[in-house]
Amino acid sequence: MTEILSVDDASIARAAALLREGKLVAFPTETVYGLGADATNGKAVASIYEAKGRPSFNPLIIHVAETGALDTLIDWNDTARVLASALWPGPMTLILPRRKDAPVSLLASAGLETLAVRIPSHLDALKLLRAVGLPIAAPSANASGKLSPTTASHVAESLGEAVDLILEGGRSRIGVESTVIDVSGPEPVILRPGGITQEQLAAILGRNVAVPDAAMGGDDSPASPGMLTSHYAPHLPVRLNAEAAEDNEAFLGFGSVAGVGETGRLNLSPSGDLNEAAANLFAMLRALDSSAYVGIAVAVIPNIGLGAAINDRLRRAAAR
Ligand code: TXA
Ligand code: MG
C-alpha cells in the first residue's frame, strides 16, 4: 500500500524531498486532494498524466504559496491582481498568459499559451509548497474522469501504488474544485464553476462574470480542455432531479427531499445548506456507488451559490 502520513515537520520534509526528486505526492487542499509533481520537471509532470490516465491535451493547474512566485511564470494584469488579492489563498484558479521563459514543463500547460495558477488556502498545502519552493503541478488526485477525492483514503483507493506518498490532512472543507477563471482576454470568463461563486466574483469586480454554455455541459468545444461532458463519474448511472428512488436505486437527497425507497439513502444537507452539500458531494457519491444498487438518484439542488458547482459536477456525473 502507498504510504499515508499525517502532516508534521518530518512528513512535510519527506514530501518536499520526494517532489524535488521528481516523485508524485498527493496532498490535501481545501477543495479536493491534489496529485502533485514538480512542474519544472517534464518527466515528473508526465508521470502525473500516466498515474491518472489523463489525456495529454488536458493541462494542469500550477500551485504556489505566494503571488511573488508567479512573477516568472505568468504576465499579470489588473483583473488578475484584484482577484488574487481578494481571493487568494483560496479556491480560485486564474488562467493567464504564460511567460515565454516560464520554467514550467510545456506538457503541464498542454502546449497552450496560457497557464492555470492557484494559491490554495489549506495550511498543510501551503506548508508543503513553502517547503518545496518549486511550482507544483497538481490535478485532482483521482483516476481521470472519476470522482474527485476529498480524503486521503479516496486517493489511495483511486490511484493506489501510482502515488509515492499521500499526506493526510482531513476532509476537504469545500469539497468541489476551484473556480477556473480565464483572465487572459479582455473580459473575465468562468471556465469551471467551483468553490468561489459567480455571485462573489460579481461583488468583487462590480460586474457580472460570464459562464459560457460550453463550460456548462457541451463538450464539442470545451472552454477549458478538461471540461468534457462525462467526468466525475461513479460506476453507477446517475439520475438527476429525482423526487424518490425507484426500485433498487440509491438516493442522494438534499434538504427535505430525503427520498423514499428500500435502498441506501444519504442526504447532502438535511438543512439545505449548499456549503455542507458541496463538502459531502464526492464522498456521498462514492459511498452510494455500490453494486448493491442499480443507479443513484439525486434530488434537485438549487442552482445558486455553490449549487452551480454542485450541479456542474452532477450533470457530468450523469452524462454517459
Ligand atoms: O481545486 C482544484 O482546482 C484542484 C486542486 C488540487 O487544486 N485541482 C484540479 O485540477 O481540479 P484538475 O486538473 O482536476 O482540473 C484543472 C482544470 C481542468 O479543467 C483543465 O482543463 C483546466 O483546469 N485548465 C488547466 N490549464 C488550463 C489553461 N491553460 N486554459 C484553460 N483551462 C485550463
Ligand atoms: Mg479533476
Side-chain angles (χ1 to χ4, degrees), residues 8-84:
D8 58 23
D9 290 351
S11 62
I12 289 286
R14 173 92 192 287
L18 286 170
L19 287 169
R20 278 189 220 105
E21 284 169 29
K23 299 281 175 29
L24 298 183
V25 174
F27 62 97
T29 87
E30 72 280 17
T31 57
V32 300
Y33 275 66
L35 178 64
D38 173 1
T40 68
N41 176 336
K43 268 176 89 174
V45 171
S47 59
I48 289 183
Y49 286 88
E50 196 189 333
K52 283 182 59 89
R54 180 177 176 115
S56 59
F57 59 76
N58 189 3
L60 305 174
I61 298 172
I62 309 304
H63 297 67
V64 298
E66 286 105 12
T67 50
L70 296 175
D71 295 349
T72 56
L73 308 185
I74 47 88
D75 288 324
W76 286 99
N77 60 48
D78 291 346
T79 307
R81 291 271 183 212
V82 169
L83 291 175

Side-chain angles (χ1 to χ4, degrees), residues 301-317:
I301 313 291
N303 206 43
I304 48 166
L306 274 188
I310 296 172
N311 284 320
D312 170 76
R313 306 306 186 266
L314 285 172
R315 267 194 303 277
R316 292 175 209 280

Side-chain angles (χ1 to χ4, degrees), residues 171 173-174 254 267-281 284 306 310:
R171 284 184 51 185
R173 182 175 58 81
I174 293 176
F254 177 80
N267 194 315
L268 288 168
S269 171
S271 67
D273 174 345
L274 289 165
N275 295 339
E276 181 182 21
N280 283 330
L281 178 67
M284 287 189 174
L306 274 188
I310 296 172

Side-chain angles (χ1 to χ4, degrees), residues 67-202:
T67 50
L70 296 175
D71 295 349
T72 56
L73 308 185
I74 47 88
D75 288 324
W76 286 99
N77 60 48
D78 291 346
T79 307
R81 291 271 183 212
V82 169
L83 291 175
S85 67
L87 294 169
W88 275 343
M92 172 182 72
T93 292
L94 294 179
I95 308 295
L96 282 160
R98 178 189 164 116
R99 286 182 64 102
K100 294 247 166 348
D101 54 355
V104 166
S105 152
L106 291 170
L107 182 58
S109 50
L112 297 174
E113 307 217 319
T114 52
L115 202 59
V117 292
R118 158 161 135 83
I119 303 182
S121 65
H122 195 296
L123 294 178
D124 297 335
L126 288 171
K127 273 184 204 156
L128 177 65
L129 292 168
R130 286 200 189 98
V132 67
L134 289 164
I136 296 297
S140 50
N142 52 278
S144 182
K146 302 298 185 204
L147 290 168
S148 301
T150 53
T151 67
S153 54
H154 294 164
V155 178
E157 284 160 26
S158 199
L159 293 177
E161 302 290 314
V163 45
D164 296 290
L165 172 65
I166 303 172
L167 287 177
E168 159 69 74
R171 284 184 51 185
S172 296
R173 182 175 58 81
I174 293 176
V176 289
E177 288 84 348
S178 61
T179 302
V180 178
I181 311 163
D182 186 350
V183 284
S184 67
E187 289 294 324
V189 175
I190 297 176
L191 300 186
R192 178 177 71 181
I196 297 291
T197 64
Q198 198 178 7
E199 294 88 337
Q200 278 173 287
L201 293 172

Side-chain angles (χ1 to χ4, degrees), residues 202-257:
I204 291 163
L205 295 173
R207 63 196 156 128
N208 189 39
V209 181
V211 186
D213 285 349
M216 298 306 292
D219 71 345
D220 290 345
S221 59
S224 200
M227 296 302 277
L228 299 176
T229 303
S230 174
H231 206 119
Y232 312 106
H235 297 97
L236 291 179
V238 173
R239 186 167 67 85
L240 302 181
N241 304 325
E243 277 168 20
E246 287 174 359
D247 282 352
N248 301 319
E249 254 183 346
F251 194 85
L252 186 55
F254 177 80
S256 57
V257 187

